[in-house]
């Protein structure tokens, strides 16, 4: 399979960004009892701000995306979403590697993220990619596990 490039999202990607995000997070709504925050994001504003990077699937269309924000001492990974049709194809792995490379390119020493405590699949995945738990904290209706990955 040809390696799909990861590129900054553009305005015409906004409907696909919303669709992939909704498809990726929709299964968690019933489990956590609240709509996951990425589903309520202002995707157009995030794209316009340069925070969204997408990768296209082998047959076209957005297969996955990340939403990141550079902060003074780290890169915050706000959201990662892979369309269910693209699961198992390495899209998530490529996106996580991109996040590390992007942080390094910005001169930032670590990546931080959080996930809902009820999204146990994510809690199994992130440590495999070098993330360590920093804390677990309730923020409003969200029970979140916070992670960081120090980049060497």
């Amino acid at each position: 399979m040809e390696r799909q490039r990861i590129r900054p999202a553009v305005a015409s990607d906004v409907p696909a960004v919303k669709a992939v995000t909704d498809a990726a997070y929709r299964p968690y709504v019933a489990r956590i009892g609240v709509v996951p925050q990425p589903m309520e994001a202002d995707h157009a504003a995030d794209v316009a701000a340069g925070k969204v990077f997408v990768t296209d699937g082998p047959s076209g269309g957005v297969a996955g995306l990340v939403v990141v924000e550079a902060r003074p001492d780290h890169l915050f990974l706000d959201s990662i979403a892979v369309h269910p049709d693209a699961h198992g194809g390495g899209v998530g792995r490529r996106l996580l590697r991109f996040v590390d490379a992007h942080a390094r390119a910005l001169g930032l020493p670590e990546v931080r993220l959080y996930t809902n405590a009820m999204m146990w699949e994510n809690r199994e995945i992130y440590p495999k990619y070098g993330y360590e738990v920093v804390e677990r904290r309730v923020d409003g209706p969200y029970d979140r596990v916070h992670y960081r990955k120090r980049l060497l």
Side-chain angles (χ1 to χ4, degrees):
M1 180 174 128
E2 181 183 325
R3 194 171 211 49
Q4 303 300 315
R5 72 183 184 100
I6 297 171
R7 61 176 175 79
V10 295
S12 61
D13 290 319
V14 171
V17 167
K18 177 173 177 30
V20 171
T21 299
D22 287 352
Y25 285 91
R26 187 175 299 114
Y28 296 115
V29 174
R31 187 188 305 171
I32 67 175
V34 65
V35 174
Q37 209 167 23
M39 291 177 72
E40 297 182 327
D42 185 337
H43 303 293
D46 286 344
V47 168
K51 296 178 181 180
V52 183
F53 294 84
V54 299
T55 186
D56 297 323
S59 57
V62 173
L65 63 102
V66 290
V67 181
V68 295
E69 182 178 333
R71 300 204 175 151
D73 61 347
H74 68 278
L75 185 67
F76 178 63
L77 174 52
D78 190 32
S79 176
I80 181 168
V82 176
H83 194 280
D85 292 346
H87 284 180
V91 174
R93 179 174 51 251
R94 285 196 310 276
L95 288 166
L96 286 171
R97 287 185 183 143
F98 167 81
V99 169
D100 291 354
H102 188 59
R104 286 186 180 101
L106 294 172
L108 297 170
E110 68 182 40
V111 177
R112 295 183 193 169
L113 63 86
Y114 53 72
T115 192
N116 191 287
M118 295 295 289
M119 295 179 179
W120 52 78
E121 301 89 342
N122 296 343
R123 294 176 64 188
E124 291 177 6
I125 290 170
Y126 292 130
K128 293 177 183 177
Y129 290 94
Y131 286 86
E132 62 181 346
V133 174
V134 176
E135 68 175 324
R136 182 170 175 172
R137 184 172 71 227
V138 174
D139 296 310
Y142 304 103
D143 181 1
R144 294 176 170 153
V145 179
H146 293 252
Y147 292 85
R148 77 169 167 213
K149 179 179 185 178
R150 291 194 170 118
L151 304 172
L152 304 176

